[in-house]
Amino acid sequence: MKLNTEKNMEWPTVLDEYEKLVFRMTTPRVMIDNAGCSNATRIMIDSARKHGILLEAVQVLTDLNLSIKKAYISCDGQWFMDVFHVTDLDGNKLTDDSVISHIKQSLGRTYYASSKSCDGLTALELTGTDRIGLLSEVFAVLSDLQCNVVEAKVWTHNGRIASLIYVKESHTGFPIEDSQKIDRIKARLRNVLKGDNDIRSAKTSVSMDVTHTERRLHQMMYADRDYERKPMIRTSNDTPVVSVMNCLEKGYSVVNIQCKDRTKLLFDLVCTLTDMQYDVFHATANTATDRAYLEFFTRHTDGTPISSDAEKQRVILCLRAAIERRTSEGVRLELSTGDKRGLLSNVTRTFRENGLNVTRAEISTTGELALNMFYVTDARGNPADSKIIEAVRQKIGLSDLKVKEFPLVNHQKVDRDDPTAGVGGAMLLSLGSIFRRNLYNLGLVNSYS
């Protein structure tokens, strides 16, 4: 089954032939194939090259909750050819015609599509030093100031915290627009973030702008320079392996990555490279069991490769941070209950009182239902004791707060000298092999060896 965005395209009567040509040239062409791969759906995208176009495509796939098992990206002059092998989060091919049609339409208007946003809400951006109970204090302040939390995401990394919280007025349900109230919110939250030892780096801001939440969290942590800080606690030896080499004859810098596979990994990496002002011209991504191997051929947006060892080291640190920010080895708890004022303040206060630290959180509300996810550890960063978890569940409600996942800590070190380690190892794929592999995946050659 193959679907093409140009099929059955209806043109507005106001468009002349030139405008139609421009529209064709600037609109991605999408083809979805379920026959060419036995265990994944293949999505092929042709599009004009511009800075960030790869991120836009990956962002669409990620926001649709698709798992990218393989990817092949190649650029020929001013044109991109992207091939993604995807499944749903359960590892199944995409067979529902309505789902396929939605994916095709979403990717076909990548240039113009806006990401899922919390329109009509006020966005609070917070960064500072992480500590046990900080999230409890933040939600207590918002509850006291009559702010209803509708959506929120919280990341922690290397002792820092970044949070994007979408709120509205509790009594009206409208965005918070009163300038005096906004000033009070910012001042009180800044005091909470400062604590006793973060006088300079704690930051709060209020915005009405629409933004992609997870991309913005990456930008906030990057601006906070979390990548330069030493990890407070590391409970796993499975550190991402990142290397950068220059391919001078082709004018590229080659970035190789090997790490544990997880959802949204490709998005996090492409997001970071894009926001650091690098263009990706060619790339491969492969997954095997629980490992991911990725290779990017990049240049600065001005067309030059990475120029110094210091810059290489900075790229390595930033990509490692991008991988680690979403990684959490805490116990995953899900809270599903009726939404009410002070819910988040009460729940996170219970965590704090029992010595649990929230390392990552996703807060959402649908109508009158609150669905919240928390990753929690003990004060030392280790997985929380099961007895403490059960005590917390007893206080919050056994039917409301459920354990969804206990961490599997992997202490096995990566062999960095293994020449067969795939895309993330020391052996680099040549540009020729990338081109030939892309042709193979499009069915234009019989092999890519």
Side-chain angles (χ1 to χ4, degrees), residues 124 141-142 144-147 169 171 176 178-191 204 206:
L124 309 178
V141 166
L142 294 176
D144 184 57
L145 292 173
Q146 306 292 312
C147 301
E169 293 277 11
H171 57 287
I176 301 169
D178 182 281
S179 59
Q180 292 183 341
K181 182 168 183 176
I182 287 176
D183 288 341
R184 287 198 303 273
I185 293 171
K186 291 170 62 177
R188 288 190 60 180
L189 289 177
R190 190 177 298 113
N191 286 334
T204 63
V206 177

Side-chain angles (χ1 to χ4, degrees), residues 310-322:
E311 186 182 358
K312 287 182 182 179
Q313 187 61 26
R314 180 167 168 268
V315 170
I316 290 171
L317 291 175
C318 289
L319 290 175
R320 282 180 182 166

Side-chain angles (χ1 to χ4, degrees), residues 111-345:
Y111 281 96
Y112 313 104
S114 60
S115 62
K116 178 184 177 184
S117 63
C118 296
D119 199 12
L121 301 172
T122 302
L124 309 178
E125 297 183 355
L126 315 176
T127 56
T129 300
D130 187 30
R131 65 177 187 274
I132 290 182
L134 176 58
L135 207 55
S136 170
E137 297 175 46
V138 167
F139 289 138
V141 166
L142 294 176
S143 178
D144 184 57
L145 292 173
Q146 306 292 312
C147 301
N148 186 26
V149 177
V150 180
E151 305 277 345
K153 287 195 176 182
V154 180
W155 288 358
T156 63
H157 181 242
N158 284 353
R160 306 299 295 171
I161 186 170
S163 180
L164 196 53
I165 305 174
Y166 294 93
V167 299
K168 61 183 179 181
E169 293 277 11
S170 296
H171 57 287
T172 66
F174 292 121
I176 301 169
E177 297 178 330
D178 182 281
S179 59
Q180 292 183 341
K181 182 168 183 176
I182 287 176
D183 288 341
R184 287 198 303 273
I185 293 171
K186 291 170 62 177
R188 288 190 60 180
L189 289 177
R190 190 177 298 113
N191 286 334
V192 167
L193 289 165
K194 285 179 180 179
D196 297 326
N197 57 2
D198 198 9
I199 304 301
R200 295 183 178 179
S201 62
K203 295 179 182 177
T204 63
S205 65
V206 177
S207 172
M208 301 295 292
D209 293 337
V210 174
T211 185
H212 187 276
T213 302
E214 294 175 342
R215 183 175 184 185
R216 184 61 189 142
L217 284 171
H218 277 300
Q219 292 172 341
M220 290 163 62
M221 286 205 132
Y222 174 72
D224 194 42
R225 305 178 80 90
D226 68 316
Y227 56 89
E228 290 184 343
R229 303 174 188 272
K230 297 293 183 182
M232 301 286 289
I233 302 169
R234 185 176 295 281
T235 58
S236 172
N237 291 325
D238 195 7
T239 304
V241 179
V242 183
S243 65
V244 179
M245 300 174 61
N246 275 348
C247 181
L248 296 178
E249 64 273 18
K250 298 294 184 179
Y252 294 113
S253 294
V254 185
V255 179
N256 280 269
I257 300 167
Q258 177 178 298
C259 64
K260 186 175 182 179
D261 189 30
R262 60 165 174 77
T263 58
K264 302 187 179 183
L265 175 62
L266 184 60
F267 168 82
D268 293 336
L269 294 169
V270 174
C271 179
T272 299
L273 288 171
T274 302
D275 286 335
M276 292 180 71
Q277 299 300 306
Y278 294 102
D279 284 324
V280 176
F281 288 84
H282 310 280
T284 60
N286 286 285
T287 59
T289 59
D290 66 339
R291 306 299 299 175
Y293 309 97
L294 306 103
E295 182 176 60
F296 301 94
F297 285 75
T298 69
R299 292 176 183 148
H300 282 290
T301 52
D302 64 5
T304 61
I306 293 172
S307 59
S308 68
D309 289 339
E311 186 182 358
K312 287 182 182 179
Q313 187 61 26
R314 180 167 168 268
V315 170
I316 290 171
L317 291 175
C318 289
L319 290 175
R320 282 180 182 166
I323 296 169
E324 293 170 348
R325 286 168 191 151
R326 202 192 294 269
T327 302
S328 179
E329 295 169 352
V331 179
R332 178 180 172 182
L333 303 175
E334 286 192 2
L335 176 69
S336 180
T337 187
D339 190 27
K340 58 185 178 181
R341 182 183 170 190
L343 173 66
L344 290 171
S345 175

